[in-house]
Amino acid sequence: MAEFRAGKWSSRAHIPVMTRTIGPKERQIMDYLHEHIFDPILVSGTASTALKQGVRLTIIRMMERDALGMDYFWAALKGTERSIGFAARMRNEGFDRFEEALEDFRVRFGDRFLRP
């Protein structure tokens, strides 16, 4: 995976990863989201710049949180006015939306996973 260091994007797919060390649970969540949502958009030659920027911003916001915060943030994404428009853009550009991954995400990263 590419890295985000000192406010700079790597050249590989423009995938940000903070230099802040994240725990194993946070890494599992981010690995899942990269595989199922983020990376297909970021490596696409057809995804719009606006869509890629939105994904990068989502990654940065997720990386600012611990596993529990990531779970709450992810849950909030599905219902905000801004996220609804972003999901429509994802669908219109031919990509899976957050909603397509939500059920599997809930199963993998539910309360049992989040408990210490």
Side-chain angles (χ1 to χ4, degrees), residues 36-37 40-41 44 46-48 51 86-97 100:
H36 292 89
I37 302 293
I41 294 168
S44 171
T46 61
S48 68
L51 185 59
F86 191 73
R89 179 186 293 262
M90 292 171 76
R91 182 181 43 236
N92 291 341
E93 293 191 29
F95 296 99
D96 284 344
R97 300 169 307 137
E100 270 84 54

Side-chain angles (χ1 to χ4, degrees), residues 30-41:
M30 292 306 293
D31 286 349
Y32 175 87
L33 293 174
H34 273 283
E35 180 181 342
H36 292 89
I37 302 293
F38 303 146
D39 291 355
I41 294 168

